[in-house]
Amino acid sequence: MGNVKIGDRVTRKEDRRFLTGSGRYVDDLQLARVTYAHFLRSPHAHARIKSIDTTKAAASPGVVAIFTGKDVAEAKVGGLICGWVVKDKHGNPHKAPAHPAIALDTVRHVGDTVAMVIAATADQARDAAEKIEVDYDVLPAQIDLATALDPKAPQVHADAPGNLCYDWELGDKAQVDAAFAKAAHVTKLDLVNNRLVPNAMEPRACAAEYDRGTGNYTLYTTSQNPHVARLVLSAFVLGIPEHKLRVVAPDVGGGFGSKIFIYPEETMCTWAAGKIGRSIKWTAERSESFMTDAHGRDHVTHAELALDKDGKILAFKVDTIANLGGYLSTFATAVPTYLYATLLAGQYTTPVIYCNVRAAFTHTTPVDAYRGAGRPEATYVVETIVSKAAREMKIDSAELRRRNYIAKDAFPYQTPVALTYDSGNYGPILDQAMKLADYAGADARKAAAKAKGKLRGVGICSYIEACGIAPSAVVGSLGAGVGLWESAQLKFNPTGNLQILTGSHSHGQSHETTFAQIVSDKLGIPLDQIEVVHGDTDKVPFGMGTYGSRSLPVGGSAIMRAADKIIAKGKKVAAHLMEASEADIVFENGAFKVTGTDKNVPLGQAVFAAYVPHNYPADLEPGMDENAFYDPSNFTYPSGTQICEVEVDPDTGNVEIVNFVAVDDFGNVVNPMVVEGQVHGGIAQGVGQALMENAAYDKATGQLLSGSYMDYTMPRADDLPSFKLGYEVTPCPHNPLGVKGCGEAGAIAAPAAVMNAVRDALSAVGAQDRIEMPATPQRVWAAINAH
Amino acid sequence: MTMSVAMTVNGKTVSGNVEARTLLVQFLRETLGMTGTHVGCDTSQCGACVVHVDGVSVKSCTILAVQADGSKVTTIEGLAESPEKLHPMQEAFRENHGLQCGFCTPGMVMSAIDLVKRHNYAVTEEIVRHGLEGNLCRCTGYHNIVKSILAGAQAMKAAGV
């Protein structure tokens, strides 16, 4: 494939191996002298472990070793850490109870790790685990989030009294109260943001090796950020020197956040590989994933919106309880605070906002970032209450939004909740979405549906996202334990082909194509001469991984910086080769030229000369290999509007999506095909949350009721329509690509768009305030038939 | 109990000794080392493990290896004529961005080919969406998978496969 440009619809370089079954996912790896791990899970939500008897299991065929919490504690393996310190409203750091890799004396959720069995085959490890005898003293469990902070609730951790991790606030409460006092209209809303399981199709897996000769460890793992995994495992958990641990995340089958975090299984496999001197492999069964992959969302919220008589928003206040589950996951504390409350201005000029968040421990699986992380939760609150206000004030829902949009010329725009939006142009996005959705014809379609006994509804969601998570100084001031820049290295071979080493990680996002596309455009190199290398700490200098739609805005920008350095170096080489002044050299169409002449040196020739530096001047360094670390000056702020139209069957409660439109502003687009795919996938996850997905627990026993695909409803092909997409482009003003990020938009906006449509449909029978996500047929039917 | 099993996989005769409980997908992945067929769940819901047994799509986690004794099995590795020449359905997925992380893809492609053949190449969006009920994808929202299969059906018909 030849040279390609930024903006071209380029088919993917990575597809051939995936389409022919040649991908290398962790479970595909065949390691020498391998053993298999199986983890015994707690069947109880809350229990004291009185004793564990492993005698029979140890005698089971093929068993190599069994480890319990006691072994881990004796070996001084550190607990799993939370990497973001949130300070509460009094300035105190959040409560951080211990999270041992294997429970020592208490289990705190169904699926908590109780023992690790290592055997010659996976089946033997599973068989042996069944023979471990654990004597539990079952204790009362706190499952319900709404009552988790009650003083009488069962306690999850002794060192987090009242199950409170932190009580945190943002904004000026006095100013908000004063504004509410002057309001012509106040809309009140109680809302549940349902708990979800991320469900990447590839289950989590790891394989660990220990080399006795060198003392080096290698961990192959399904990770979105292998360098951070290495840093955390070495510095905080296992005490392996960082240079003695190599972490490889090869092909990874989706992540959606759930593979950002450090989990007990990869920790234990790495440690135990050293202990037994053999390789260990573990692959989660899906039912295990349901119990142990960090879940997403799970808020209960009360919100109030103050408006003047014309529908202009005056103030907004939000009170949220966020579920953290039984332990703190790696970034759990940041999600309901800095990734949530800071987005509550949405696209609107709301002058004052106050948000209070109380984060609660419960006896459930830990909760952490899931596609969008905090931003879908914020958008759902903002966009639900705006639609409710429009309904109450009898102002068209689109019109009320338009009256409150931040104007195009108001950017950079400082919101009252910390962020400064870099750019945006919201009106034309709404216009395009309304046109694509035939918003004007909605009333006629509602009437036609009514005539055949159906309820139609239209829902709008205008979202804003803060993505490209960075810059380091800002995230550091907010409590992040890491800097959030990205690295890139461009490594030429003497014959002119090129490797891009990136610290971001692709698990479906098409980096191997889009990153190569950027460099093909910038340096004029054919696409098939470029290879993207990622996911291996022994190859890539360093990286912060992929989440929060940061790969292109931060990782792509680092690549641009490295390419600039290549051009600068190439100019020196070309100046030498053409006996010209470096100041007279320009780089155009893949060649270095002497300004005003026809003398030129193609890049490939300069590269070869850099590696074969005969007659090189003494002050010119051989080689063509450049490294860049890019730390942006701000987040990026993609925005957009989705419009969803549904038809509800009042007899069955079934909700059918009959039309779905998304118009987004992602700034410049590198590959429209890839961007569309990202939007489609995000919408599907958002629709899933709105209509069918729910991680449900039995509130009395803490059993996970939706613990497999038999009970957790994943969106299937016939649950979804084909989507209509549109774009507006306001380039990001502060990164060299002008890009904003597109990975989460669909999932951020869709829940509110769908639910606003459902509520609009149900408003015809007065049932609009009786429905929560997921709007399953049973719930919709019950809402319609409640009296 | 160990049992011997023999079958034709992608045109080659293979055999091995397996435990009676060994699933076909385990035999393919672990005994034969053919890891293109994936395991995404433990309840036969996701379809990442779909292969063809005697020309019909089957979830290879739902049958034992010994049940496939004597059968002709085709996996994703056996579809392309050569590394350069993909099966028309594989090519359609590539052209239409019908995959992202690629994990569900082998099962999707295998299901799609059988679906198209069962409908004698005359598939519609509705048929495809309904026919994919046994396959889960978390990345694409199905939009481009549906598009790929509709295009793949045309291409298969034109190529006579």
Side-chain angles (χ1 to χ4, degrees):
Chain A
M1 191 175 273
N3 294 1
V4 295
K5 295 287 179 196
I6 289 172
D8 287 353
R9 186 175 286 267
V10 178
T11 53
R12 299 201 312 170
K13 286 167 73 71
E14 46 267 77
D15 280 351
R16 193 166 299 274
R17 71 174 186 274
F18 294 141
L19 281 164
T20 55
S22 312
R24 273 164 56 89
Y25 301 90
V26 172
D27 190 59
D28 300 340
L29 302 175
Q30 316 252 350
L31 304 183
R33 299 182 69 242
V34 72
T35 62
Y36 294 84
H38 182 85
F39 291 91
L40 182 68
R41 306 288 179 187
S42 167
H44 305 294
H46 188 199
R48 199 167 59 80
I49 300 172
K50 288 159 73 179
S51 64
I52 302 179
D53 186 349
T54 58
T55 321
K56 284 183 198 159
S60 190
V63 170
V64 175
I66 299 176
F67 297 111
T68 64
K70 195 163 153 275
D71 301 310
V72 176
E74 280 171 4
K76 299 199 178 346
V77 172
L80 302 176
I81 61 159
C82 177
W84 197 303
V85 178
V86 167
K87 288 190 175 164
D88 70 10
K89 56 168 69 161
H90 308 296
N92 301 314
H94 68 77
K95 295 288 190 300
H99 183 185
I102 299 186
L104 184 58
D105 49 20
T106 305
V107 288
R108 294 186 172 86
H109 64 92
V110 167
D112 202 354
T113 314
V114 177
M116 177 194 205
V117 182
I118 303 165
T121 72
D123 284 339
Q124 285 174 335
R126 194 182 302 112
D127 291 346
E130 284 180 10
K131 295 177 186 164
I132 296 177
E133 291 168 6
V134 187
D135 191 4
Y136 292 103
D137 181 9
V138 180
L139 301 169
Q142 178 61 36
I143 303 302
D144 186 23
L145 175 61
T147 59
L149 299 173
D150 289 353
K152 288 179 191 161
Q155 295 292 290
V156 182
H157 294 281
D159 46 354
N163 293 330
L164 185 68
C165 180
Y166 53 75
D167 182 354
W168 178 89
E169 65 182 358
L170 183 65
D172 189 323
K173 189 166 187 300
Q175 281 184 6
V176 168
D177 287 342
F180 267 82
K182 292 181 204 153
H185 182 87
V186 172
T187 293
K188 297 182 180 181
L189 178 72
D190 285 297
L191 212 59
V192 174
N193 201 299
N194 45 321
R195 176 185 280 244
L196 303 175
V197 183
N199 273 313
M201 291 318 300
E202 179 207 29
R204 280 193 299 119
C206 65
E209 287 178 317
Y210 176 67
D211 182 334
R212 282 188 210 203
T214 60
N216 289 350
Y217 290 82
T218 303
L219 171 67
Y220 300 91
T221 180
T222 50
S223 174
Q224 296 179 218
N225 51 356
H227 283 90
V228 175
R230 182 182 67 173
L231 174 67
V232 171
L233 284 173
S234 59
F236 299 100
V237 183
L238 295 173
I240 299 167
E242 203 173 348
H243 67 293
K244 292 296 208 182
L245 174 60
R246 174 186 176 201
V247 177
V248 184
D251 287 331
V252 172
F256 315 112
S258 68
K259 292 172 180 168
I260 303 173
F261 322 121
I262 313 302
Y263 287 97
E265 295 84 6
E266 58 211 312
T267 305
M268 286 308 302
C269 286
T270 309
W271 173 76
K275 193 91 176 155
I276 68 167
R278 290 183 65 177
S279 306
I280 303 174
K281 197 167 160 184
W282 169 78
T283 302
E285 294 179 11
R286 182 59 60 178
S287 52
E288 224 176 346
S289 297
F290 271 95
M291 293 187 289
T292 63
D293 289 6
H295 291 178
R297 320 289 190 243
D298 208 348
H299 287 187
V300 291
T301 293
H302 176 77
E304 298 188 14
L305 189 70
L307 304 100
D308 73 10
K309 63 178 177 27
D310 299 320
K312 189 87 180 153
I313 299 170
L314 301 174
F316 189 29
K317 61 182 168 190
V318 178
D319 184 76
T320 292
I321 305 176
N323 204 343
L324 297 175
Y327 301 100
L328 290 183
S329 177
T330 315
F331 292 107
T333 51
V335 178
T337 49
Y338 294 108
L339 297 180
Y340 167 69
T342 53
L343 268 295
L344 288 169
Q347 296 190 359
Y348 309 116
T349 54
T350 310
V352 285
I353 297 173
Y354 174 75
C355 179
N356 181 223
V357 178
R358 287 169 293 161
F361 291 106
T362 59
H363 291 106
T364 58
T365 296
V367 178
D368 207 323
Y370 165 59
R371 202 168 191 169
R375 292 150 288 192
E377 295 92 313
T379 301
Y380 187 51
V381 175
V382 174
E383 289 300 285
T384 304
I385 204 164
V386 166
S387 281
K388 191 177 184 202
R391 214 161 33 240
E392 288 174 354
M393 296 181 78
K394 297 189 172 30
I395 299 172
D396 177 78
S397 183
E399 173 57 25
L400 183 67
R401 284 178 167 81
R402 201 185 294 280
R403 283 181 202 176
N404 287 285
Y405 282 155
I406 298 160
K408 184 190 175 188
D409 56 8
F411 295 92
Y413 182 84
Q414 176 65 54
T415 75
V417 276
L419 300 179
T420 306
Y421 296 170
D422 61 358
S423 62
N425 189 9
Y426 307 142
I429 295 174
L430 179 67
D431 292 341
Q432 196 187 144
M434 289 169 74
K435 200 171 165 197
L436 278 173
D438 185 21
Y439 190 80
D443 283 345
R445 293 191 297 276
K446 280 183 189 177
K450 194 179 173 188
K452 53 176 186 163
K454 300 284 174 65
L455 306 171
R456 256 197 195 231
V458 179
I460 302 179
C461 173
S462 294
Y463 77 94
I464 181 92
E465 176 180 12
C467 74
I469 294 184
S472 298
V474 172
V475 296
S477 72
L478 302 179
V482 289
L484 283 175
W485 38 265
E486 197 48 82
S487 84
Q489 186 175 10
L490 297 193
K491 239 165 96 173
F492 273 100
N493 297 311
T495 49
N497 47 40
L498 170 70
Q499 284 183 317
I500 303 170
L501 285 73
T502 171
S504 67
H505 182 272
S506 183
H507 28 282
Q509 294 94 337
S510 318
H511 295 174
E512 288 168 45
T513 303
T514 51
F515 288 174
Q517 198 171 343
I518 291 169
V519 174
S520 179
D521 184 343
K522 176 96 177 169
L523 298 183
I525 301 169
L527 204 65
D528 58 10
Q529 296 295 306
I530 304 172
E531 185 181 48
V532 173
V533 178
H534 62 99
D536 186 339
T537 60
D538 265 12
K539 291 182 179 169
V540 175
F542 206 91
M544 302 312 299
T546 291
Y547 39 87
S549 293
R550 64 190 304 279
S551 283
L552 197 54
V554 191
S557 295
I559 291 169
M560 287 291 274
R561 285 283 169 84
D564 285 336
K565 290 185 181 179
I566 290 284
I567 291 170
K569 176 71 188 290
K571 281 183 181 175
K572 290 184 197 295
V573 177
H576 161 65
L577 293 175
M578 293 188 284
E579 296 178 340
S581 161
E582 192 187 324
D584 293 335
I585 308 286
V586 291
F587 182 69
E588 281 172 13
N589 301 322
F592 297 96
K593 293 173 185 164
V594 181
T595 319
T597 74
D598 58 358
K599 286 169 77 175
N600 74 87
V601 168
L603 174 62
Q605 197 179 323
V607 168
F608 190 77
Y611 283 98
V612 189
H614 301 159
N615 307 318
Y616 237 45
D619 60 347
L620 190 53
E621 187 182 345
M624 192 68 86
D625 179 355
E626 295 288 352
N627 222 346
F629 283 65
Y630 176 78
D631 197 342
S633 58
N634 194 357
F635 289 89
T636 64
Y637 296 91
S639 62
T641 288
Q642 293 185 351
I643 299 181
C644 174
E645 189 164 337
V646 299
E647 192 165 279
V648 176
D649 183 338
D651 295 332
T652 63
N654 188 56
V655 177
E656 187 190 352
I657 295 176
V658 290
N659 198 7
F660 201 106
V661 167
V663 179
D664 294 287
D665 179 356
F666 298 132
N668 292 334
V669 165
V670 171
N671 186 329
M673 180 193 81
V674 166
V675 167
E676 284 161 16
Q678 292 283 301
V679 175
H680 295 157
I683 293 172
Q685 293 189 9
V687 169
Q689 170 165 28
L691 295 183
M692 55 197 86
E693 293 184 43
N694 198 31
Y697 283 90
D698 182 282
K699 286 187 179 170
T701 64
Q703 291 302 314
L704 179 59
L705 300 173
S706 40
S708 79
Y709 290 146
M710 308 288 276
D711 306 297
Y712 184 95
T713 323
M714 289 273 279
R716 292 180 184 271
D718 62 356
D719 294 314
L720 296 163
S722 288
F723 314 109
K724 293 177 194 160
L725 307 187
Y727 297 100
E728 289 288 325
V729 177
T730 49
C732 173
H734 62 79
N735 67 46
L737 284 163
V739 298
K740 295 182 174 174
C742 67
E744 298 162 306
I748 289 172
V754 174
M755 289 305 291
N756 282 338
V758 170
R759 291 191 176 101
D760 186 42
L762 295 187
S763 68
V765 292
Q768 69 278 7
D769 296 327
R770 296 186 208 130
I771 189 77
E772 295 275 13
M773 296 193 291
T776 59
Q778 187 270 337
R779 286 182 176 195
V780 171
W781 187 91
I784 292 170
N785 292 283
H787 295 292
Chain B
M1 188 172 63
T2 306
M3 302 173 85
S4 67
V5 59
M7 61 187 85
T8 308
V9 178
N10 300 328
K12 285 185 189 158
T13 306
V14 297
S15 61
N17 291 318
V18 297
E19 280 190 62
R21 63 178 166 177
T22 303
L23 301 168
L24 176 59
V25 67
Q26 288 177 295
F27 180 67
L28 293 171
R29 288 181 57 82
E30 292 160 24
T31 308
L32 303 183
M34 301 184 67
T35 54
T37 304
H38 296 151
V39 179
C41 73
D42 40 29
T43 51
S44 298
Q45 297 279 311
C46 81
C49 68
V50 171
V51 298
H52 293 173
V53 177
D54 294 329
V56 177
S57 63
V58 168
K59 287 180 175 171
S60 60
C61 75
T62 61
I63 66 168
L64 299 167
V66 292
Q67 286 176 285
D69 190 45
S71 302
K72 281 186 184 165
V73 176
T74 307
T75 71
I76 190 74
E77 289 99 333
L79 278 187
E81 228 172 81
S82 69
E84 291 73 39
K85 193 166 185 338
L86 298 176
H87 184 281
M89 187 58 79
Q90 290 170 311
E91 191 58 39
F93 270 69
R94 199 182 71 78
E95 282 289 330
N96 292 283
H97 192 33
L99 65 155
Q100 289 180 22
C101 82
F103 193 80
C104 74
T105 308
M108 282 287 176
V109 170
M110 299 310 285
S111 289
I113 290 169
D114 188 38
L115 177 70
V116 166
K117 284 186 178 169
R118 270 188 283 127
H119 287 86
N120 199 23
Y121 307 99
V123 287
T124 61
E125 175 168 348
E126 198 184 347
I127 290 171
V128 170
R129 285 190 179 276
H130 186 67
L132 282 188
E133 271 212 339
N135 293 74
L136 285 173
C137 170
R138 195 59 157 167
C139 294
T140 64
Y142 305 101
H143 182 112
N144 283 343
I145 291 178
V146 173
K147 211 169 132 189
S148 301
I149 296 173
L150 293 173
Q154 298 282 332
M156 280 171 63
K157 191 175 181 185
V161 294

